[in-house]
Amino acid sequence: MTEKNDFEPTIVGFTCNWCSYRAADLAGIARIKYPPNVRLVRLMCSGRLDPTFVMKAFAEGADAVMITGCHPGECHYLEQNYKALRRYLLLRRTLVAMGIEAERLHLAWASAAEGIQLAREITEMVERVRTLGPLNWHLNGSQPEVVSEAAIELEEVAA
Amino acid sequence: MTTKSNSHPQERIGVYVCHCGTNISAMVDVEDVAQWAADKLEHKGVVIARDYKFMCSSLGQELVEKDIHELKLTRVVVAACSPHLHEKTFRTACERAGLNPYLCELVSIREQVSWVHTDKVAATAKSKAVLSGGIERVLWHEPLDPMTVPIHPATLVVGGGIAGIQAALEIADAGHPVYLVERDASIGGHMAQFDKTFPTLDCAACILTPRMVEAGMHPNITLMTWAEVENVDGYVGNFDVTVRQKARKVITDLCTGCGICEEKCPKKVIDDVYEAGLGYRKAVYTPFPQAVPNFPVMDVENCIYFDTGKCKACEKFCPTEAIDFTQEDEIVEFPVGNIILATGYDLFDARRVSNYGYGHLENVFTSMEFERMNNASGPTDGEIVLRDGKTVPDSVGIIHCVGSRDMNYNNYCSTICCMQGLKFAHLVQERTGATVYNFYIDMRTAYKGYDEFYQKVLEEGTRFIRGKVAEVTDVARLPNEEGKLIIQAEDTLIGKQRRIPVDMVILSSGLEPRHDAKEVAKTFGISCSADGWYIEKHPKLDPVATMTEGVYIAGCVQGPKDIPSSVAQGAAAAARVIGKIQQKEMALEPVRASVLEDQCSGCRICNDLCPFNAILFHEDTMLSEINPALCQGCGTCVAACPAGAITGTGFSNEQVLAQIEGLLMDMSV
Amino acid sequence: MSEYIFYPGCSLESSAKSYHDSLNIVCEKVGITLNEIDDWNCCGATEYFGINLTPAYALITRNLALAAEKANGTNTVVAPCSACYLNLAKADYYMREQPKLGTQVNLALEAGGLSYKPGSLEIRHLLDVLIYDIGLDTIKSNVVRPLTGLRVAPYLGCMVPRPDYEKRWSDHEHPVELDLLLEALGAEVIDFPLKTHCCGGHMPHIGPETAYEMLHRLLTSADEHKADIMATVCPMCQMNVDAYQGETNQYFGTNHKMPIVFFTQLIGLAFGATPKELGFGSELVSAKKALAKIGTAPPKTKKTRKSKKKAGLPMPQPLPTGIRINEEEVIR
Amino acid sequence: MKPKFAMYWASSCGGCEIAVLNTNEKILDVDANFDVAFWPVAMDAKYKDVEAMEDGSILLTLFNGGIRNDENEEIAKLLRKKSAILVAFGSCATEGCIPGLANLSPAREVVETAYHTVSTENPDNIYPQANYEMPEGVIHIPTMTSRVKTLEEVVDVDYYMPGCPPESHQIAAVLDLVIAVVKGEAELPPKGAVIGVGDSTVCDECDRKRDVKKVSEFTRAHLVGALDPELCLLEQGIPCNGPATRSGCNARCPEAGAQCIGCYGPAPGVVDYGARLISSFASVIDSNDPDEIERILDGIPDPAGQFYRFSLAGSLLKSSKSARNGKVLA
Amino acid sequence: MSQLTPPVHEIEDLTLLEEVAARTAGVSRLEMCIQCGTCGGSCPSADDMDHTPRQLFAMLRAGMREESLKSNTPWICVSCYHCVVRCPQNVHITDVMYTIKGMAVSSSMYESGTASEFSQTFVDMIENYGRSFEFGLATRHYLKHFPLRLPGMASMGIGLLTKQRMAIKPTRIKNMKQLTDILDRAKELGATHE
């Protein structure tokens, strides 16, 4: 537990060039503070969000991924954020099926004016992930590790 | 499997970390970041990494240009403020030094790092991460050339209210052709229905009519009333507009506007549009005397001939044989370079507030009904009377904020209702001497001359009760309430419930987006807010442009506003358009999607995803193709293509995947 | 044959017995089967909330839990008493709106080996079911004794049309459902402006004067509109208007003699049941005189201020009621 | 002297071997042009014989099967050393295939399932022992790796040939090519190429009619009364993986009225096969309402299986979280 | 940045306004009140209240604990929900009234006992029988508070009795124990939550 709480998660955030990225800028201009755990990638639209990006982020060691876009009905490209929504819902189901906690993938709407809201979303996200603990996909399973009965017993002890 | 091969030739990257005075350096160890990039990312191709006080200064820019020349840089990464501020600056710098501007990448370590974090170590680490992301990304950048498109000199103005008229006149006076399309039979819009305008109380018709006539006669303005825009294709500079010219059943070339048809027409109909339901018109009619153009239109639903096959009175009496019962709608098509939407607002339907009794209690009127009643050319010739058409009221209650500032109806403040309510108070006083009560939540009289008007109305002895009216009822409790309308509200300044008996109630109703605002927005490819008001490009700095290049908005379509602001916006939109026209051509960001032909299997998954209809499918070759001019570069199809057959310049898979790798680079190494 | 879970509520066992008897007759006629929740308890009326929040909601939700258990086929709970209807609906709604409350209530229910998942039941009032499930046509087709000549004031009181969490009613202030129903019976329905105003609620027991004032308003308006009788959907309204009319008269020196009965009693009457089996006679202000008027006058088309068209300026068309019965808009 | 040919069967079902035999008389060309050095299924051979060979002395090795135990890995490395051309042959070797789905559960669970479930007759709870004392000496049996890996994860691969199994006509074509190369009549494709495939996706070879796609329900073929024999399956709500699956199979399944399940892997340049399907299927869902969308998605009860049936081991994530236990092992 | 610090949930740390919000079923939205007076204007019993609902909310905001808990306003509220459906800010007014009653009772601030004791008597009935018991309620309540009204009401009472509209014996639900257990647990939980 304690070991979990001083853990600093790394989160990749995908932002829309027209709303959430500007919201992030606005948060900066207003000097609103939030934890430094989120690293933002700018896309033209949340509709550009390719699930591959999310998989990639997890595979490369992100503890969580945040997708942000314009509010429904306010997409700069009219309705593409709905496509993002659809993909997010299916992607989340798939990740859950692969044992990744649903909370590690989060969709948040933030208009260009909502710097405070975005900052709050980020802060809350970081806290949620902190309690979930690290994912460390990039470390595990990459190097061959032998599972012998010994290992099995070890795991049983651990479990 | 076939994976991304790191096959780009060894690039030569220049990295520049900005102090931004102390804006960045106070929270980020910029020297360390630059040093780290030079040491740790050399293998990526970083040949020089500098930190500098003000990268955006001319000296900073020269630094970049010098390095491009001397160190033969092929890529540039600047870690500074948000790309929305200085991306252009550094792209131009690269261009000056002969490097394709799109080979430069900006990473934000100010808005998204130094200004929002409090721990210098963490902030520095994050700066390194985003920088490494930028470096990985820039390796995959490609030289791009912005595409330029010609701008057609003609402009489409939709909506003939005061905002639209203003915009049309400004552009026409500048010598450019304008198509002014109006859905109703005449231009003039809501302003034409008013009698007096606040705060100066000058007569609406007197100031509006000349502008209407001017617009009607202007050589550069093609006026299309009784017409609706059906479809818009194309893109900024080159829109193709399809307009439906509804059948007037009147041949305008022959019609002299003498009005005999209207006079002779036996069918009387309640006029819900111009007279706000308070007056009547004929089945063939010109909406109002000063209508522009002055040709009547025929209301087929109510025409006796179309109903029974008999009558034709209008035709019989028309001296110029201008009546044509066989006339059909016409489809008109023309190209324009820019579009201004000034489609205005709908009045809030006060019947929805059932506790105010409109539509149920006779002597409750809406603001528009009162405007008409008060108008000399209106149904009562300007007499302020009760529904019975004769009794002059002794006491009148005016209710503010009807349908506005109310989660049950509309959340927003309609901005004009307070002044409207005050105007009504003044007019009632002036014309009837009746006792007037104004019920308000907050008195909002900002802008020039408005609060002075409030003072004036206070002086005149109008009774102001601060409280949102709870209900209007005719159920009397006390003798003095018998036969009256009772307005029940809390007088919040004394904290007691009061019941005020009056003869007449006027509801100062708010404004709503047009009922079809959302569909219209779709036709023109722009976005509306959740309420349905159209969204401007920037709420402060770009209030009349929209996110869609070449489409502008003016007047109430952008949000409730009064006449002065509508006119101002009309003129502002016109100025923007004139500017565009004079550029003759404009450059478009080369952020575009394209289909790799041999990889496209014609599955058609992408076909329906583009709101700009940029994706077309060739049945013959079974391939999908993207029209680069229509493509706005959102990248949705790129992400959707199951075969990975669509690529997006500027935001390619390789660029983003590489950036992610960079962002998550293991710093300990 | 449509089945519903039934929550009668305390008053239908005693003070509003006539409501219970008459609704049984009506439901049978129109093919409604009511499965009473067994061992249901009081909903707490308007009193328990003011004493202790969590128990108040636990009290209500026990009924929902029991109902959910026995729900086979249907998940609709019908409550004829408006206070019960509101409380059940409110508990279900707030447990959704405020999950914290939901967990607390379920923790409490645990102690009794029960649990309830908010939103799993649909809570509706009898009038709602009669109008929107059974429909006016079925009602009309069962009428054997049209109530022609009887001027009825439709009176809903507060808690059916408000706060209306699930937006089931045509309007919060002037809903038309009851009017339409009574018209279908051939009665002459007055456009009763106070149809959703308060009967005084618990005030007779707390501040009688306040209650008398409200009753006075109702009675005066009903008299002004020449109503023969008031028809209500709420036991408390019936009790207050009926039982405290005397005191109100005393207090204001008036002489109202306005009988008030349950809408189901009038339906039953139109359906041909005898006044006795419908529980007529149990009201304190006798409905005899009113009932005597049935059949006396030919059916009149209802006069409302809306249709009152004098010379002068045209009146705006009233909004469509917005109520849809088997897919078509019913305008009134 | 004829060039040497080898084929090896690691963690897979053997279908690939059958597919090679299915090339019918073409198999004679193999014999005619090659000297079969090592092909356990076809002829007896010992690892030590291979070890004895000169490095790179085998011209062509078709390696089928994924890497599930240390033996698979050892032989993969051995054959890499001895072969000039190493082909990851079939879905297992290229992306893990069905055995790769074991990566959804921890290795331990896999063992448990095999040795300790109702379907297993194992009264004395006997589990495989890595080393076992026998009078003749200690017996070693291969030990499982933590998860299934693709061939390219353990050795450098020259060419990839997907398919479960690869279509025989494609195998024939590849054999012809190699023979032609041997005869000096043709050039080898660039290293890393995917061979025996088309360069687009299954839809390219599918004759079904197609229109713009709007899916308001995902269902299963056997739940639909009668499928339109002409119309695109996806448009009929059948989650057909064709749009994302590499062409080369002549769209056998969709043509026969069964949805493509993706055995030919992703199209060229695609990083993650499943991600492409997730993105494209979700994109054409005909609703903007979260609840409605969720309802529609219920039509895909097993997303991991739907999108990664063949490619899990080769995907970006490679396995489920539990299969890597979230633990960092030194 | 205050707006970034997550709201605290321990009741004792909260101001009066927040306490009311926390004790109200559903979301009170009290903080959203714009003091427009729709509630006071709609209230059928406003004349008998010593503060209009609007004023009461202002007092809660001002943290005037004693004054607001002593106010008779919530006790005069007849739960007609007119204010609730008309409130432009969708404040859950009626439920806030219940909350204030509850707080007044638990802090025994509200003096004039009639209303609170009526509720209490009613609740006692329920806690004994699981059903309300009008006869017992009426007799007990009226004997205590309106003895003088009784003669006047006799005829009505007798009427109700003779017309069998009032049972002299209470009905008790079968599984009274279950209900009691539930209510007791609820009270414990309630206590922690207050």
Side-chain angles (χ1 to χ4, degrees), chain B residues 598-603 641-645, chain D residues 198-206 210 241-249 251 265-268 270 273:
Chain B
D598 19 344
Q599 223 161 304
C600 173
S601 66
C603 71
C641 178
Chain D
D199 48 19
S200 179
T201 65
V202 173
C203 301
D204 206 29
E205 297 176 327
C206 179
R210 62 199 74 160
N241 291 3
T245 307
R246 187 76 172 235
S247 53
C249 63
V270 167
Y273 174 82

Side-chain angles (χ1 to χ4, degrees), chain B residues 287-468:
Chain B
F288 54 101
Q290 314 88 330
V292 173
N294 200 247
F295 312 126
V297 293
M298 196 177 294
D299 160 9
V300 174
E301 265 87 71
N302 289 298
C303 170
I304 297 176
Y305 169 71
F306 281 99
D307 183 21
T308 65
K310 296 188 194 54
C311 181
K312 290 197 168 187
C314 45
E315 193 184 47
K316 283 191 206 76
F317 290 96
C318 178
T320 58
E321 295 175 340
I323 300 286
D324 174 7
F325 291 100
T326 65
Q327 199 180 63
E328 292 295 327
D329 291 5
E330 255 181 83
I331 298 299
V332 189
E333 293 181 350
F334 50 85
V336 299
N338 294 280
I339 297 173
I340 296 176
L341 290 174
T343 49
Y345 67 91
D346 281 343
L347 202 69
F348 171 77
D349 183 349
R351 294 175 302 179
R352 287 171 59 197
V353 193
S354 54
N355 41 317
Y356 288 174
Y358 179 66
H360 194 73
L361 303 171
E362 301 190 297
N363 290 316
V364 179
F365 294 82
T366 61
S367 39
M368 197 49 85
E369 278 183 309
F370 182 79
E371 291 283 0
R372 293 312 300 152
M373 178 190 294
N374 191 55
N375 188 306
S377 64
T380 62
D381 309 323
E383 291 303 312
I384 297 173
V385 289
L386 301 183
R387 195 73 66 175
D388 64 12
K390 36 185 191 302
T391 321
V392 177
D394 294 329
S395 50
V396 177
I398 298 168
I399 305 179
H400 293 216
C401 294
V402 176
S404 307
R405 300 185 65 195
D406 189 332
M407 292 185 73
N408 301 307
Y409 309 104
N410 294 316
N411 266 339
Y412 51 81
C413 168
S414 291
T415 68
I416 55 120
C417 329
C418 280
M419 284 303 288
Q420 179 176 258
L422 293 172
K423 180 179 78 179
F424 293 168
H426 167 80
L427 294 169
V428 172
Q429 289 248 341
E430 185 182 61
R431 306 201 174 174
T432 67
T435 320
V436 183
Y437 301 85
N438 276 50
F439 297 82
Y440 66 99
I441 306 176
D442 300 297
M443 190 59 70
R444 298 187 169 177
T445 56
Y447 307 127
K448 188 176 178 185
Y450 287 13
D451 202 63
E452 292 81 339
F453 190 78
Y454 180 23
Q455 303 294 332
K456 175 187 169 72
V457 177
L458 281 165
E459 244 169 61
E460 293 169 348
T462 296
R463 292 157 168 72
F464 286 93
I465 297 175
R466 190 200 170 279
K468 184 172 162 69

Side-chain angles (χ1 to χ4, degrees), chain C residues 146-208:
Chain C
L147 305 184
T148 48
L150 184 67
R151 284 179 64 87
V152 188
Y155 181 49
L156 292 121
C158 310
M159 297 184 187
V160 167
R162 291 185 301 269
D164 189 15
Y165 297 110
E166 303 297 337
K167 303 274 162 287
R168 297 188 183 283
W169 304 97
S170 53
D171 188 56
H172 293 142
E173 313 268 347
H174 303 286
V176 296
E177 284 83 353
L178 184 53
D179 306 52
L180 290 166
L181 182 70
L182 294 168
E183 271 172 21
L185 305 177
E188 190 183 323
V189 181
I190 67 159
D191 187 12
F192 189 40
L194 301 186
K195 68 164 76 147
T196 67
H197 280 236
C198 179
C199 67
H202 64 185
M203 291 319 280
H205 317 296
I206 293 163

Side-chain angles (χ1 to χ4, degrees), chain D residues 123-304:
Chain D
D124 327 335
N125 263 330
I126 299 169
Y127 279 80
Q129 310 286 309
N131 309 306
Y132 190 69
E133 294 288 342
M134 295 275 289
E136 298 80 357
V138 182
I139 296 182
H140 305 281
I141 64 162
T143 53
M144 281 173 79
T145 48
S146 63
R147 57 176 175 86
V148 175
K149 299 195 187 75
T150 62
L151 185 57
E152 73 172 356
E153 261 196 275
V154 293
V155 298
D156 174 48
V157 174
D158 300 309
Y159 299 113
Y160 304 85
M161 188 160 177
C164 180
E167 286 292 321
S168 298
H169 73 275
Q170 296 284 15
I171 301 174
V174 169
L175 290 176
D176 282 341
L177 172 72
V178 181
I179 292 165
V181 172
V182 174
K183 297 198 175 126
E185 295 160 0
E187 281 284 303
L188 278 174
K191 188 172 189 302
V194 183
I195 55 176
V197 293
D199 48 19
S200 179
T201 65
V202 173
C203 301
D204 206 29
E205 297 176 327
C206 179
D207 291 335
R208 288 178 173 267
K209 278 200 276 70
R210 62 199 74 160
D211 197 345
V212 294
K213 301 203 171 8
K214 275 187 183 302
V215 179
S216 51
E217 185 189 18
F218 283 113
T219 176
R220 318 266 272 284
H222 67 274
L223 298 178
V224 184
L227 280 171
D228 180 333
E230 301 291 302
L231 183 63
C232 166
L233 290 167
L234 185 51
E235 285 164 43
Q236 301 184 61
I238 310 298
C240 172
N241 291 3
T245 307
R246 187 76 172 235
S247 53
C249 63
N250 296 333
R252 276 173 177 261
C253 302
E255 292 281 333
Q259 73 265 36
C260 167
I261 53 177
C263 74
Y264 256 69
V270 167
V271 178
D272 189 284
Y273 174 82
R276 299 260 45 69
L277 278 166
I278 293 168
S279 192
S280 49
F281 280 12
S283 301
V284 294
I285 288 175
D286 189 14
S287 168
N288 291 337
D289 161 38
D291 302 343
E292 174 69 0
I293 297 171
E294 291 282 14
R295 188 192 62 69
I296 295 171
L297 290 178
D298 290 341
I300 302 177
D302 170 20

